[in-house]
Amino acid sequence: MNADIPVGADASMSDGIVAGDGATVSAGQNRRQVLYWRLLARLFDHDEQPALETAAMAVVGDLGLPAALLDPAVSVDTLVQRFPELAAEFQNLLTPGESAPGDEVRRAALVSKLLLNVFATGTGDVTATRLAAWQQDAGWFRQALCAGPGAGTGTGTGTGAGAGPGAGTGAGTGGENGGELAGVLAGLEADLVSRMRLREVLADPALARQLTPSMSLVEQLLRDKANLSGVALANAKALIRRFVDEVAEVLRTQVEKASAGVIDRSVPPKRVFRNLDVERTIWKNLTNYNPEDQRLYVDRLYYRRTARRTTPARMIVVVDQSGSMVDAMVNCTILASIFAGLPKVDVHLVAYDTRALDLTPWVHDPFEVLLRTQLGGGTDGTAALAVAQPKVADPRNTVVVWISDFYEWNCDAVFAGMEALHRSGVRLIPVGSVNSGGQQSVNPWFRQKLKDLGTPVISGHIRKLVFELKNFLA
């Protein structure tokens, strides 16, 4: 990249400069150009551009910022530990808003640091320490975008010191493009994980403890588990267990919070204090208000109906275990275990690629389910239908959750089987993705056919699936 830009080596200049068209460019704009040109140069070419590095160092020094701000090898976490006063500046850094005069250059320096650390991932082998540092920087990046508590699913775990809630690649980013950005970050993390010498790291307990469980790491572990043994296998299982437990805690909260079912108004309200409808009681008794003594005399109490249907239901979860569906597979396997723990819900679990495997005996333990799955291979939904269909005893009391991208080798036969389930009275819920980004590709032919059938494919946040399931099972 050509470093001959009209800035000069002295980035502390206070006068404006004249651009080629005669317009005056302020010193502040000039300094920001230095920082952003340097950022672009480092993102697209890992070799330093001496002129840009010198000019950027002058800008940072003039702002009173530490030189480590320009070093991509120094994580944001480390920078904040050394200079705690910068923590507040990194928070909400990328949130739209006006900067005070003179602050634009300082903001540009901090933004450059954040973007360089997150998006310039380099090439070659990646150590566990490098991956953990990147995950921490990704957490700061999300916080800079104002991803506060409750953003996203919360399934990410790379938080970093001070990174705050919602950090990690699985958390939300806020804004209209949050899902797309989450997908980009997940791709960057997956690339870093794929470049790790994972078997060597797992064989060393000290290094294995530095790994932060994430969806991309779990995918790598599941793919490679057949090649692990001894200490490496034990460490891999421990990481999967940690991730499963963390995701389960978040999903359990989603299940508890989601509204469920339609109130059964055929059941009279239970006349207890917690069901008292205060607002309705006051409204209905307003005619009894006595203005002389300013008292409202209540001659009738009104209560809320809270009874819901409690008919036992059967839930059959069919999971495509091909590699492209690992995110949805992990989330839905854990979700199935949560619903299996609820009263009056009979949960069955079937995983398939070119063959189908009935995992119902382990449905209460998603960790064991994941260890028994084999990622990759083709997809033959007819094998899954052969296992799932005999499980339907009472169609109108059965829900089938089918998780797949629906790229089948025999689309007509699979759709015919799903259509037959739906026509029989089964509640069919096809799921394309329930991950943080919701960017899963779904076979467009299947998507349209299922939409026409009245059972559109669910994609996006897992809350959608939780809502659908609770409404059916309640």
Side-chain angles (χ1 to χ4, degrees):
M1 178 177 288
N2 187 359
D4 296 331
I5 55 178
V7 296
D10 183 8
S12 63
M13 68 180 76
S14 58
D15 297 328
I17 61 172
V18 179
D21 59 358
T24 300
V25 181
S26 70
Q29 290 175 313
N30 187 39
R31 292 177 182 180
R32 279 185 290 164
Q33 286 180 8
V34 167
L35 295 170
Y36 287 135
W37 274 111
R38 185 249 178 191
L39 170 64
L40 290 173
R42 294 299 294 267
L43 284 174
F44 292 102
D45 186 352
H46 301 303
D47 295 331
E48 295 183 1
Q49 300 290 327
L52 286 173
E53 293 296 328
T54 300
M57 187 65 72
V59 171
V60 168
D62 191 51
L63 292 170
L65 291 169
L69 194 73
L70 296 176
D71 186 354
V74 177
S75 70
V76 176
D77 226 40
T78 300
L79 189 69
V80 168
Q81 289 172 6
R82 295 176 185 173
F83 306 95
E85 66 277 6
L86 294 178
E89 293 190 65
F90 275 112
Q91 295 172 0
N92 302 333
L93 180 65
L94 299 174
T95 303
E98 294 189 10
S99 302
D103 287 347
E104 297 93 341
V105 181
R106 188 179 183 92
R107 184 172 181 270
L110 297 175
V111 168
S112 296
K113 172 64 176 175
L114 206 52
L115 296 180
L116 185 62
N117 276 34
V118 172
F119 292 99
T121 55
T123 58
D125 292 339
V126 174
T127 65
T129 302
R130 171 76 181 93
L131 176 63
W134 182 88
Q135 289 172 326
Q136 291 169 346
D137 287 337
W140 281 103
F141 181 54
R142 281 191 167 75
Q143 196 172 35
L145 287 166
C146 195
T153 64
T155 57
T157 54
T159 55
T169 59
T173 55
E176 295 179 359
N177 298 320
E180 182 179 352
L181 182 57
V184 171
L185 293 182
L188 289 172
E189 185 184 42
D191 176 65
L192 289 169
V193 171
S194 68
R195 286 156 48 195
M196 291 180 66
R197 294 180 177 177
L198 196 54
R199 296 178 195 175
E200 296 177 17
V201 173
L202 291 171
D204 185 332
L207 288 177
R209 282 194 296 270
Q210 297 179 45
L211 289 173
T212 303
S214 64
M215 188 65 74
S216 54
L217 179 59
V218 166
E219 179 178 356
Q220 289 295 112
L221 295 174
L222 292 176
R223 289 183 184 278
D224 204 36
K225 66 179 185 292
N227 300 313
L228 302 175
S229 62
V231 174
L233 181 59
N235 286 330
K237 288 182 176 180
L239 284 165
I240 296 173
R241 172 70 77 180
R242 281 172 55 195
F243 184 75
V244 166
D245 290 346
E246 290 168 2
V247 176
E249 183 178 354
V250 174
L251 294 185
R252 194 171 289 110
T253 301
Q254 296 284 349
V255 172
E256 291 171 354
K257 287 183 176 179
S259 59
V262 178
I263 293 175
D264 188 351
R265 298 192 176 276
S266 65
V267 179
K270 193 173 182 179
R271 297 177 179 275
V272 294
F273 179 75
R274 68 173 178 271
N275 289 345
L276 180 64
D277 190 337
V278 177
E279 292 185 0
R280 188 168 180 232
T281 297
I282 293 174
W283 176 257
K284 290 289 188 179
N285 287 278
L286 281 178
T287 55
N288 298 330
Y289 178 72
N290 189 332
E292 294 181 2
D293 55 10
Q294 296 186 341
R295 289 177 180 271
L296 177 66
Y297 294 91
V298 177
D299 57 16
R300 182 179 177 184
L301 297 175
Y302 291 83
Y303 296 87
R304 299 185 185 90
R305 287 181 170 85
T306 57
R308 298 180 187 273
R309 296 183 180 89
T310 57
T311 307
R314 173 165 292 187
M315 183 168 78
I316 303 171
V317 180
V318 181
V319 180
D320 172 357
Q321 62 176 348
S322 62
S324 61
M325 292 301 300
V326 64
D327 201 336
M329 183 187 74
V330 171
N331 277 295
C332 291
T333 298
I334 296 171
L335 193 62
S337 72
I338 294 171
F339 278 101
L342 299 179
K344 298 185 180 298
V345 182
D346 180 24
V347 180
H348 294 250
L349 181 61
V350 178
Y352 77 99
D353 44 30
T354 55
R355 296 178 300 174
L357 182 63
D358 190 349
L359 296 170
T360 303
W362 301 278
V363 72
H364 289 85
D365 190 345
F367 170 72
E368 290 295 333
V369 169
L370 292 177
L371 290 185
R372 284 170 169 77
T373 57
Q374 183 63 51
L375 299 183
T379 50
D380 182 4
T382 59
L385 283 167
V387 177
Q389 284 174 329
K391 293 178 177 290
V392 180
D394 180 4
R396 297 201 173 276
N397 219 18
T398 302
V399 59
V400 172
V401 180
W402 195 298
I403 302 108
S404 178
D405 55 11
F406 300 102
Y407 282 97
E408 299 279 346
W409 73 274
N410 192 349
C411 292
D412 289 324
V414 176
F415 177 75
M418 298 174 73
E419 183 180 27
L421 286 172
H422 175 69
R423 301 294 185 198
S424 71
V426 168
R427 174 75 166 94
L428 177 64
I429 305 178
V431 178
S433 70
V434 283
N435 52 21
S436 54
Q439 302 299 313
Q440 180 65 42
S441 173
V442 174
N443 184 337
W445 182 88
F446 244 107
R447 183 188 290 278
Q448 187 59 50
K449 295 287 283 186
L450 289 168
K451 183 179 180 181
D452 294 342
L453 188 63
T455 58
V457 177
I458 290 179
S459 293
H461 202 288
I462 198 165
R463 279 196 299 265
K464 296 180 181 179
L465 178 57
V466 171
F467 179 80
E468 293 289 338
L469 288 174
K470 289 202 72 176
N471 271 334
F472 178 83
L473 297 172

